[in-house]
Amino acid sequence: MDAVQQTARSAGDAALAGLASGPAGLSAAEVRRRQAEFGPNRVEAARREPLWLALLREFSHFFALILWLAAGLAFVAERFEPGAGMAELGAAIVGVIVVNGAFSFWQAFRAGQAIDALRLLLPQRVKVRRDGATVEVEAGELVPGDVVLLVEGDKVPADCRLVESWGLRVNLATLTGESLPKARRAAEGEGGDPLQARNLLLAGSLVVAGECCAVVYATGMHTEFGRIAHLAQTAGDAESPLQKEIRHVSRVVALLALGLGVLFFAIGMAIGLPFWANFMFAIGIIVANVPEGLLPTVTLALAMATQRMVRRQALVRHLPAVETLGNATVILTDKTGTLTQNRMSVRELVAAGRHQLAAARWPRGGDLHLRAVARFCHSLKFVAGEAAGDPMEIALWRFAGEVPALGERSGEIPFDAERRRMTVTTRGDDGAGFVWTKGAPESVLPLCASWDDGGVSRPLDDAARAMFRRAHEDMAERGLRVLALAWKRQDAAGGEIEAGLALSGLVGLEDPLRPDVHDAVTRCHEAGVRVLMITGDHPQTAVAVAREVGIVRSASPVVLTGDMLRGMRPAALQLALDAPEVVFARVSAEQKMQVVQALQRKGDIVAVTGDGVNDAPALKTADIGIAMGLSGTDVAREAADIVLLDDHFATIVNAIEEGRAVFDNIRKFLTYILTSNIPELLPYLAFVIFGIPLPLTVIQILAVDLGTDMLPALALGVEPPGPDVMRRPPRPRGERLLTWPLLARAYLFLGPFEALGALAAYFCVLLAGSWNYGDMLAAGDPLYRQATTACLAGIVLAQMANLFVCRHPAEPAWRFPLTGNRLLLAGLATELVLLLAIIHTAWGQRLFGTAPLPAEAWAVALPFALLLLVAEEGRKAWCRRRCRPA
Ligand code: ATP
């Protein structure tokens, strides 16, 4: 042991002793005692704002301020013109603010809870030594004094002091913002700033290279990360592009409402309406048209979508990723483990010059060295006699069976995706040393000078190389992963470890496809989403697998290898990506980023999968980074927007479906709430133009917009994805939420139908009450009350019908079962109950100026509601026929 190691060792011992721990770790009893004393190792999410402040905010945002202003004006008006109903209007607006604020608060609260719940779903697991054994526990269970073992890709679970380390480098970006990795090693007594100390590992940082053993000295809120998390109370969540768009849309609509209010006020004044009545109406118009419910509904729609996604095994780490997913145009996917099951088994062998199918066990005979490579050359860990680690290595190790010991392991050159091979050396008691190498044939064959022909060593001449190459290609074309196995006796003279090897043979491993991957790829094609495979495997294997899952359908796809990418200019890569089918093979994780950027420059929205430390940059660069929950590293998960809990490709496709549904739902919601503006405005125009009594009072407008419409609109915001969501191309980049077709449908088609029904019911009551054109009616007149009630009932009934047709802009309403969305049923029920309460209860009649309706009024309003349904379904059918290709 040299001096440096000696110092490190004594520093490690001191670190352990300082925390009353030892190399064997803590005992179970001591862990329990410390857990009771120090509590769980959890950083409590610093509540960004206390609940009361969040509640207060719901009453003080832009829209609420407009409403407060309106209420204030109404109360002021009451002083000038007592008895004109101004105080009631003021009180009604305050009621609206309260109901709306409470509702929004509840929505935001529910959305927050849904997101919080997701955080608990993927607990971090850590290897720790306890009672002399290595066990895996949840990071939350760590206590000071625990001895943890960390390797490349792990997230540091608590603040630790290093005991031993090998080539350790950590990324402290979460703590310092600095993204360059820093070296860390066990050394004695470094005081000062923990962020700089080279013998400390801080919770939240990421191990990007090396391994270590460290002792925990601070957990939970006592860690540096906990301290920072506590301080960083002000850092709010970034607003998603969709939320920004919604904010924009609602401001535009609010200004429109303000403009309309002013315009109507001016018209009223011009035709000589009494000032205060006119003023009150203008306020009502403004209040009714301000889209208060929009923003919270969007947040809730996103949160509900994340919950549905998690039920389908996709965990969303950042809310905006949901909508970005809906826009994805390309999925760049790994092969092993995502398209395939990563359950390898040896299928074929090329040994002793013979290509043969593999039996359950390795064939006996002169293949001792071949089996020895499979048995010794791995980086597996053994827990209770069971091999754990890379499934391919496990398959080889199992297949080799027992092999006579050829000494103890004396060294290892670990697998690295650049070199595509690994080497292990062993040394026996007699001093005989061996080198065992396995890896991609292109990587191993150049190192070999001879090959084993059933125990006879023959030179690896051109003929032999050609024979192995043919066998390799033959296996690769059938989708097998091919490995070359080689060995040599290590001479005492030293020299290049991996030079002059003897090739023992090739093995072909099969990795079965995941069962429903083919369907998922087909769904992507139908949805206009391109699927590109990017793998470290051989080009032929890659194409064979791509063909099997349906990613490649043509005879000659473009295959780009890592070597080709290296020499390619960005523009050339961009052009190469124009080909309809492209497969990337023998590509390193670093090159993934190059591909992602090229696609982005082409205007694509890219979802990319990754699992290793090297994948992190590509995951961050992509529009949607997708990490593996089962096989991935903590580093990849930290960099990703979405974690696949089952590592399955089909889950990505399901998540895209949910993402698209969010956008669709917000449009349904908008169509629904915009429709009822027309039957609220047209009666007023009729009143102005034709001089009839005002068919709908301001308070009644408020009853619809902020009462009966609320829950049904919300229900549309959380609809499950429709059947056609994945049968149309991705939404063009930059397409607005509020489009002309949407506005035309709501304002020029659905709205006028509602207005027709409402006015028909209104006139039916008036005429039955022997009203004549030109008669003015007082506000308290029973006939007037009944007539306006009929108008109100006409609108609400039509909105109930509208709820069904709004479930899809093109497909018939009956395609969507009511049971698919329970909130919708609740919405319908509350809509009806509220309407009946407004008409039939004493307080409803007093507040909204209503009166019970004669049966004829219902008999007129109901068919009109049905007419809306029939007309809209007719329009949809016409559009479907017209748009269908001949
Ligand atoms: P994917 O990107 O689809 O997961 P992959 O797993 O094949 O692809 P890598 O892990 O980068 O990609 O492996 C690249 C190549 O390196 C493999 O095709 C194989 O030939 C070789 N290889 C992989 N793992 C090992 C290993 N443990 N030992 C030796 N060689 C290996």
Side-chain angles (χ1 to χ4, degrees):
M1 195 183 290
D2 64 20
V4 177
Q5 276 178 314
Q6 191 82 48
T7 335
R9 171 58 57 86
S10 59
D13 290 345
L16 287 169
L19 287 149
S21 187
L26 300 171
S27 68
E30 183 59 17
V31 168
R32 273 196 300 280
R33 200 191 65 72
R34 292 193 190 192
Q35 271 170 348
E37 183 173 346
F38 296 98
N41 173 33
R42 209 162 287 138
V43 175
E44 304 301 338
R47 275 248 162 257
R48 274 174 295 280
E49 55 184 5
L51 281 184
W52 65 267
L53 207 69
L55 188 64
L56 195 72
R57 240 153 45 94
E58 297 297 345
F59 296 101
S60 58
H61 55 75
F62 177 68
F63 299 139
L65 292 181
I66 294 186
L67 295 180
W68 283 120
L69 186 75
L73 284 175
F75 285 121
V76 171
E78 173 73 18
R79 286 189 61 114
F80 291 100
E81 177 112 350
M86 288 296 177
E88 285 83 350
L89 177 61
I93 299 177
V94 172
V96 163
I97 302 175
V98 171
V99 171
N100 201 61
F103 197 63
S104 304
F105 174 74
W106 172 75
Q107 272 172 281
F109 185 72
R110 252 190 87 186
Q113 275 194 326
I115 303 295
D116 285 348
L118 295 184
R119 293 216 179 100
L120 302 176
L121 275 176
L122 201 70
Q124 191 193 344
R125 300 194 67 82
V126 193
K127 286 216 173 68
V128 53
R129 285 192 68 77
R130 284 183 180 166
D131 282 322
T134 304
V135 288
E136 223 183 55
V137 301
E138 277 189 22
E141 294 170 16
L142 291 180
V143 290
D146 260 331
V147 178
V148 292
L149 307 170
L150 301 172
V151 297
E152 174 182 308
D154 284 346
K155 181 167 152 186
V156 179
D159 285 359
C160 315
R161 182 160 285 131
L162 286 170
V163 176
E164 275 184 287
S165 67
W166 300 270
L168 193 65
R169 289 197 300 152
V170 292
N171 183 323
L172 288 156
T174 41
L175 293 146
T176 60
E178 161 78 62
S179 60
L180 276 182
K182 295 262 189 299
R184 290 286 178 265
R185 52 192 290 270
E188 219 160 347
E190 281 199 44
D193 182 2
L195 289 170
Q196 305 298 336
R198 270 172 302 150
N199 62 343
L200 298 186
L201 289 183
L202 300 181
S205 54
L206 300 166
V207 178
V208 292
E211 321 186 4
C212 72
C213 164
V215 55
V216 173
Y217 71 86
T219 57
M221 294 306 285
H222 302 290
T223 60
E224 285 299 310
F225 185 69
R227 216 170 48 81
I228 292 171
H230 206 65
L231 290 178
Q233 300 235 348
T234 46
D237 289 332
E239 218 176 41
S240 77
L242 183 60
Q243 280 168 320
K244 276 193 204 130
E245 163 103 2
I246 291 283
R247 193 175 287 281
H248 172 76
V249 168
S250 10
R251 291 223 163 154
V252 169
V253 179
L255 288 179
L256 211 75
L258 221 62
L260 267 177
V262 173
L263 182 74
F264 278 35
F265 184 75
I267 296 176
M269 291 315 289
I271 60 168
L273 288 180
F275 178 85
W276 288 112
N278 193 18
F279 182 72
M280 181 166 135
F281 196 83
I283 290 179
I285 292 289
I286 297 170
V287 172
N289 286 293
V290 167
E292 304 86 352
L294 202 52
L295 204 52
T297 303
V298 171
T299 314
L300 192 68
L302 287 175
M304 292 296 121
T306 57
Q307 275 195 333
R308 281 200 305 272
M309 282 186 188
V310 89
R311 264 181 253 131
R312 300 173 84 174
Q313 304 295 321
L315 190 133
V316 177
R317 295 186 66 241
H318 303 130
L319 212 50
V322 177
E323 37 172 305
T324 323
L325 250 186
N327 290 357
T329 55
V330 177
I331 306 174
L332 199 59
T333 175
D334 282 342
K335 171 175 72 72
T336 311
T338 312
L339 298 173
T340 65
Q341 299 182 12
N342 203 6
R343 272 209 243 140
M344 307 259 179
S345 53
V346 177
R347 279 281 167 259
E348 295 179 26
L349 280 179
V350 180
R354 282 208 340 267
H355 190 157
Q356 51 196 310
L357 289 182
R361 286 251 170 242
W362 210 275
R364 303 280 145 186
D367 52 275
L368 172 69
H369 294 123
L370 194 79
R371 286 166 57 205
V373 184
R375 194 71 182 181
F376 301 138
C377 180
H378 59 72
S379 47
L380 298 172
K381 303 266 184 301
F382 293 90
V383 184
E386 272 300 305
D390 182 350
M392 181 185 73
E393 295 192 333
I394 297 179
L396 285 172
W397 182 82
R398 289 225 177 101
F399 193 70
E402 285 304 325
V403 173
L406 287 165
E408 287 287 308
R409 182 183 281 240
S410 57
E412 176 182 338
I413 308 176
F415 170 71
D416 133 19
E418 244 349 273
R419 286 168 12 104
R420 294 197 200 97
R421 62 173 183 266
M422 77 171 289
T423 293
V424 164
T425 55
T426 55
R427 190 162 295 280
D429 293 337
D430 56 355
F434 291 93
V435 177
W436 314 102
T437 299
K438 75 173 195 307
E442 310 95 289
S443 157
V444 175
L445 255 67
L447 306 171
C448 297
S450 58
W451 63 285
D452 283 339
D453 187 3
V456 183
S457 173
R458 298 193 191 280
L460 192 64
D461 53 16
D462 287 349
R465 280 182 199 276
M467 187 261 289
F468 282 111
R469 196 170 41 246
R470 272 197 307 278
H472 176 195
E473 283 172 4
D474 179 44
M475 287 192 274
E477 264 164 24
R478 279 177 283 116
L480 297 182
R481 164 182 284 203
V482 184
L483 278 194
L485 276 54
W487 74 286
K488 75 169 181 184
R489 238 175 257 284
Q490 200 173 17
D491 41 28
E496 270 297 313
I497 293 184
E498 289 174 329
L501 296 172
L503 181 67
S504 321
L506 306 179
V507 283
L509 293 120
E510 187 185 51
D511 183 6
L513 296 183
R514 284 180 175 271
D516 38 3
V517 117
H518 196 283
D519 289 345
V521 172
T522 311
R523 287 178 71 207
C524 284
H525 287 146
E526 282 173 0
V529 178
R530 233 174 138 198
V531 185
L532 301 177
M533 188 169 99
I534 190 158
T535 172
D537 218 329
H538 188 269
Q540 266 146 328
T541 312
V543 171
V545 174
R547 196 177 295 286
E548 224 176 315
V549 296
I551 291 178
V552 163
R553 290 177 289 187
S554 70
S556 49
V558 171
V559 182
L560 293 176
T561 61
D563 288 338
M564 290 156 99
L565 285 182
R566 217 161 287 132
M568 246 182 187
R569 294 196 175 281
L573 175 55
Q574 246 168 280
L575 290 174
L577 281 165
D578 283 335
E581 289 176 340
V582 186
V583 172
F584 293 91
R586 290 289 189 232
V587 166
S588 67
E590 286 77 8
Q591 289 174 325
K592 239 188 212 180
M593 175 129 124
Q594 222 176 309
V595 178
V596 169
Q597 285 170 334
L599 286 165
Q600 284 176 328
R601 277 196 301 273
K602 288 175 74 67
D604 276 312
I605 298 188
V606 188
V608 70
T609 65
D611 45 16
V613 174
N614 301 347
D615 287 324
L619 291 175
K620 274 228 151 80
T621 309
D623 301 278
I624 310 124
I626 304 172
M628 302 299 145
L630 296 177
S631 63
T633 56
D634 292 343
V635 172
R637 284 195 281 266
E638 288 288 308
D641 303 297
I642 289 182
V643 178
L644 300 184
L645 297 176
D646 58 358
D647 293 10
H648 191 347
F649 178 79
T651 304
I652 305 176
V653 186
N654 292 340
I656 289 183
E657 184 178 18
E658 294 289 350
R660 288 188 174 191
V662 168
F663 202 84
D664 287 358
N665 285 349
I666 294 167
R667 281 197 170 151
K668 294 177 200 169
F669 167 90
L670 275 173
T671 313
Y672 183 78
I673 60 166
L674 292 179
T675 301
S676 61
N677 285 352
I678 297 297
E680 290 159 6
L681 295 179
L682 284 187
Y684 181 77
L685 287 182
F687 156 73
V688 171
I689 297 169
F690 303 113
I692 56 168
L694 180 63
L696 194 70
T697 67
V698 177
I699 303 264
Q700 287 164 350
I701 292 182
L702 294 182
V704 174
D705 280 10
L706 303 156
T708 56
D709 264 4
M710 287 276 248
L711 205 60
L714 183 71
L716 287 174
V718 296
E719 284 259 274
D724 67 323
V725 164
M726 294 300 274
R727 280 195 221 120
R728 53 167 197 250
R731 189 159 39 87
R733 201 183 253 260
E735 186 185 287
R736 305 313 298 244
L737 191 62
L738 210 55
T739 56
W740 287 116
L742 187 154
L743 283 174
R745 182 176 172 222
Y747 281 162
L748 301 180
F749 193 83
L750 295 170
F753 267 106
E754 286 195 0
L756 199 69
L759 287 175
Y762 173 74
F763 282 116
C764 157
V765 171
L766 278 188
L767 295 175
S770 46
W771 170 84
N772 290 312
Y773 185 67
D775 293 351
M776 268 333 220
L777 297 169
D781 188 321
L783 181 62
Y784 180 69
R785 290 173 76 111
Q786 233 177 23
T788 54
T789 307
C791 185
L792 172 76
I795 297 177
V796 176
L797 289 180
Q799 277 292 75
M800 289 174 83
N802 193 22
L803 189 62
F804 290 96
V805 295
C806 278
R807 294 187 80 186
H808 201 284
E811 294 292 322
W814 53 85
R815 288 257 174 94
F816 305 88
L818 265 181
T819 43
N821 182 353
R822 264 180 288 156
L823 202 56
L824 204 88
L825 284 176
L828 273 176
T830 38
E831 202 163 11
L832 193 63
V833 168
L834 272 179
L835 178 67
L836 294 178
I838 287 170
I839 299 179
H840 290 289
T841 62
W843 64 262
Q845 292 168 0
R846 211 175 35 249
L847 193 62
F848 297 98
T850 53
L853 285 180
E856 309 89 81
W858 292 107
V860 172
L862 256 174
F864 271 100
L866 292 179
L867 178 69
L868 175 131
L869 210 107
V870 173
E872 171 64 358
E873 288 306 338
R875 186 198 65 81
K876 286 184 192 175
W878 181 75
C879 285
R880 281 198 302 273
R881 247 202 316 278
R882 213 181 53 138
C883 302
R884 195 161 291 160

